[in-house]
Amino acid sequence: MDIKKKISRKISVAPMMDCTDRHDRYFLRLMSTNVMLYSEMVATKSAIHGDRSKILSYSPEEKPLALQVGGSDKKELAEVAKIAENMGYDEININLGCPSKKVQKNMFGACLMKEPDLVSDCINEMVNSCKIPVTAKTRIGVDNIEDFEYLNNFIGKIRKAGCKTFILHARKAILKGLSPKQNLNIPKLNYQMVYEIKKHNPDLEIIINGGISKIDEIKNHLNKCDGVMIGRSIYQNPYSLAEIEKEIFGNSDNPSREDVTKKLLEYVEKEVKLGTKVNHIMRHTVGLYHGQIGSKEWKRYLSDNMMARDSDFQKTKHIMTIAQNNEKANKVNL
Ligand SMILES: Cc1cc2nc3c(=O)[nH]c(=O)nc-3n(C[C@H](O)[C@H](O)[C@H](O)COP(=O)(O)O)c2cc1C
């Protein structure tokens, strides 16, 4: 069944390697029907030559869903855009922001900010190969460049090639001297630069990203940009999506954590039968009780038991029971 949902990028969950796999996205979707979801970055060669049923498959419930791709070979990128469209993805996004050494070696990610002509050729080829939107996720600068004119020209070139949506991580990429992890916190965020880009390009869809977690912050950014992308804070506290649904989308009919765990249990049961390991799903749920009574117990129980052999599936059911008891305890203590 193809569940068609309209794309809105008002709020999206950031692509995160080793985090936003299909199981995590299914779990997140249980708490939010309105956010846009992104895959982890997939290299063009893996998407083209790898086992697509493993690398690119997803559940229809995850939609609307974007595939993020990493690469700089225009033919390969165009082929992946076509594959994404044929597989029912709603968007293809090119990664122009990752600073890791491995990614640089393969000429994709943030180092492409120094190659605007190459990027523009790639985007042009992608746009011509598919009908789904081609979007770009980039940084506000790279190495010694943190300059409005440079970013604005870079965006201008890509825009001419047919990209109308830009996700701007408001922190410049440092290609040498910092680890990718450090570069998620250093140097300082510069939201103003993103606001300026929106002001100068009112017809482009500009999504702001980096260090955003609170509802007030989200509302403030939405006054100046078209959308907000959030990464780590949603991964650490996934149930914050319920608050986002309520406060940003006016949806008060949100599932409780108990409802979420019940639905997840059905998914786990189905997936285990297909050979998925319990921990491959449950590892994403460690933060479900973030800030709640019993959250430590939930985390401890998961870390002690989620490696259970699949045949020992009753343990997973027990994890869910703990979750439900926690939810009741929280209700009593409200
Ligand atoms: C564990 C992890 C993996 C990431 N993987 C990707 C990725 O595959 N593609 C990408 O464009 N950005 C990736 N990022 C960057 C995020 O998409 C996002 O831009 C960054 O975390 C800033 O947003 P935040 O402060 O809301 O987390 C990753 C970040 C983290 C923490």
Side-chain angles (χ1 to χ4, degrees):
M1 183 179 47
D2 184 25
I3 300 176
K4 286 227 174 352
K5 282 181 200 151
K6 203 176 155 285
I7 293 195
S8 156
R9 301 185 189 83
K10 191 169 184 184
I11 306 290
S12 50
V13 181
M16 285 178 286
M17 206 62 113
D18 293 326
C19 299
T20 52
D21 63 14
R22 67 186 181 91
H23 303 307
D24 184 45
R25 297 187 310 252
Y26 188 96
F27 167 59
L28 297 177
R29 189 57 86 206
L30 294 175
M31 292 164 277
S32 171
T33 52
N34 287 300
V35 295
M36 180 76 191
L37 297 177
Y38 286 75
S39 75
E40 303 159 275
M41 183 189 73
V42 177
T44 47
K45 285 198 177 23
S46 313
I48 295 167
H49 306 296
D51 179 353
R52 280 182 213 157
S53 66
K54 277 206 185 116
I55 302 168
L56 301 181
S57 68
Y58 63 89
S59 304
E61 291 85 349
E62 293 166 41
K63 282 166 74 72
L65 175 64
L67 176 66
Q68 189 190 56
V69 64
S72 59
D73 179 309
K74 59 183 180 181
K75 294 285 171 213
E76 286 180 0
L77 283 162
E79 192 174 342
V80 177
K82 191 80 213 150
I83 292 171
E85 178 175 48
N86 289 340
M87 289 187 72
Y89 281 90
D90 301 285
E91 170 184 327
I92 178 92
N93 174 268
I94 182 169
N95 183 329
L96 305 172
C98 178
S100 94
K101 289 236 155 46
K102 195 172 157 206
V103 159
Q104 283 180 57
K105 210 173 122 219
N106 291 305
M107 261 302 266
F108 43 93
C111 62
L112 292 174
M113 286 194 79
K114 296 179 179 175
E115 308 287 344
D117 292 327
L118 173 63
V119 175
S120 147
D121 278 356
C122 289
I123 300 268
N124 185 43
E125 200 89 9
M126 290 168 83
V127 168
N128 288 332
S129 75
C130 67
K131 291 191 186 68
I132 53 174
V134 176
T135 67
K137 179 169 181 281
T138 189
R139 300 268 191 148
I140 51 163
V142 56
D143 287 341
N144 52 350
I145 311 167
E146 185 172 336
D147 174 55
F148 174 79
E149 288 306 320
Y150 188 90
L151 182 64
N152 201 38
N153 288 339
F154 181 65
I155 287 176
K157 278 217 156 134
I158 306 180
R159 159 216 201 117
K160 273 195 197 133
C163 174
K164 302 281 177 257
T165 301
F166 292 82
I167 300 158
L168 297 178
H169 183 179
R171 190 188 313 271
K172 80 171 168 176
I174 304 289
L175 301 180
K176 264 192 209 132
L178 285 183
S179 70
K181 197 171 172 201
Q182 288 171 318
N183 199 194
L184 286 169
N185 296 312
I186 313 170
K188 266 200 199 146
L189 289 156
N190 182 350
Y191 295 133
Q192 203 55 43
M193 180 94 96
V194 181
Y195 301 157
E196 288 298 311
I197 291 287
K198 177 64 199 175
K199 241 193 228 165
H200 281 74
N201 302 275
D203 53 329
L204 290 181
E205 185 180 30
I206 303 293
I207 313 293
I208 192 165
N209 166 245
I212 304 164
S213 59
K214 297 189 180 71
I215 294 291
D216 286 354
E217 292 167 350
I218 296 174
K219 286 185 174 164
N220 187 30
H221 289 301
L222 285 175
N223 285 330
K224 294 165 178 133
C225 300
D226 302 293
V228 173
M229 175 178 267
I230 306 168
R232 289 165 289 177
S233 90
I234 288 182
Y235 196 76
Q236 284 150 16
N237 179 15
Y239 197 73
S240 60
L241 280 175
E243 198 194 354
I244 287 175
E245 278 291 323
K246 183 164 166 246
E247 298 294 333
I248 307 295
F249 295 103
N251 181 5
S252 51
D253 187 23
N254 291 306
S256 63
R257 290 179 178 83
E258 184 177 359
D259 298 333
V260 172
T261 52
K262 275 186 191 155
K263 289 220 172 100
L264 194 63
L265 182 55
E266 290 167 22
Y267 177 73
V268 173
E269 268 178 312
K270 203 178 86 198
E271 282 291 323
V272 163
K273 283 192 191 124
L274 298 171
T276 302
K277 292 195 166 67
V278 172
N279 70 314
H280 286 187
I281 303 171
M282 296 309 292
R283 71 187 183 94
H284 299 301
T285 71
V286 169
L288 181 60
Y289 284 84
H290 182 92
Q292 302 288 296
I293 296 161
S295 102
K296 273 193 192 147
E297 202 185 352
W298 168 254
K299 281 186 201 166
R300 196 176 316 119
Y301 196 86
L302 282 177
S303 87
D304 290 349
N305 294 287
M306 71 179 160
M307 296 301 287
R309 287 199 327 273
D310 301 348
S311 56
D312 203 4
F313 184 57
Q314 286 307 320
K315 285 197 174 166
T316 307
K317 290 198 171 169
H318 187 62
I319 297 175
M320 301 296 178
T321 314
I322 290 209
Q324 287 159 23
N325 289 341
N326 283 348
E327 182 96 22
K328 279 175 197 142
N330 283 323
K331 271 185 196 145
V332 171
N333 283 283
L334 275 176

